[in-house]
Amino acid sequence: QLQLAESGGGLVQPGGSLRLSCAASGVNLDYNGIDYYGTAWFRQAPGKEREWVACFSAGGGATRYAGSVWGRFTMSRDNAENTVDLQMNSLKPEDTAVYYCAAESNYYCSAATAATSFEYWGQGTQVTVSS
């Protein structure tokens, strides 16, 4: 059973940076060097729906980003360590949310990436951007 655990959240001032990490356990994200699981970062602000911010497809390929974070966030994946990171730069107050990592076998990211498509979730980590 795949388990995910996020870390790295916290309080940061506008314009600052944070790096979130998601550690996978129980199952490898890749199989024989091929990315078996698609992985994604989502976030959910109070009173809002959970939205995806970055997504990495099974089988590799380009990472997709939501327009609201494009150019500021960078998602990376290390299959040797079984981790998925999210580097967040130039943070804005509207980036405040609980951030979740998610995984789904053989998932291919698109602009229609939705939370309902992912079976495996971490517990979330709070990111607060405030002066």
Side-chain angles (χ1 to χ4, degrees), residues 1 17 22-23 30 32 47-48 52 57 63-64 67 78 85 96 98 100-102 106 114 122 128:
Q1 180 79 1
S17 298
C22 175
D30 69 322
N32 284 344
K48 295 188 176 181
W52 73 277
S57 294
T63 303
R64 295 185 69 101
D78 187 335
D85 289 355
T96 296
V98 178
Y100 300 88
C101 67
N106 293 312
T128 302

Side-chain angles (χ1 to χ4, degrees), residues 17-94:
S17 298
L18 276 177
R19 187 176 184 90
L20 306 182
S21 185
C22 175
S25 60
V27 176
N28 289 339
L29 295 174
D30 69 322
Y31 179 75
N32 284 344
I34 299 174
D35 301 298
Y36 179 67
Y37 284 87
T39 51
W41 283 94
F42 285 78
R43 66 185 181 186
Q44 189 167 19
K48 295 188 176 181
E49 291 187 356
R50 192 169 296 189
E51 62 174 357
W52 73 277
V53 295
C55 188
F56 188 88
S57 294
T63 303
R64 295 185 69 101
Y65 297 93
S68 58
V69 306
W70 191 86
R72 301 187 298 122
F73 290 12
T74 302
M75 180 177 179
S76 60
R77 178 162 153 168
D78 187 335
N79 286 339
E81 297 293 328
N82 224 26
T83 58
V84 180
D85 289 355
L86 184 68
Q87 177 66 43
M88 306 185 295
N89 298 328
S90 302
L91 283 162
K92 305 175 181 180
E94 51 263 42

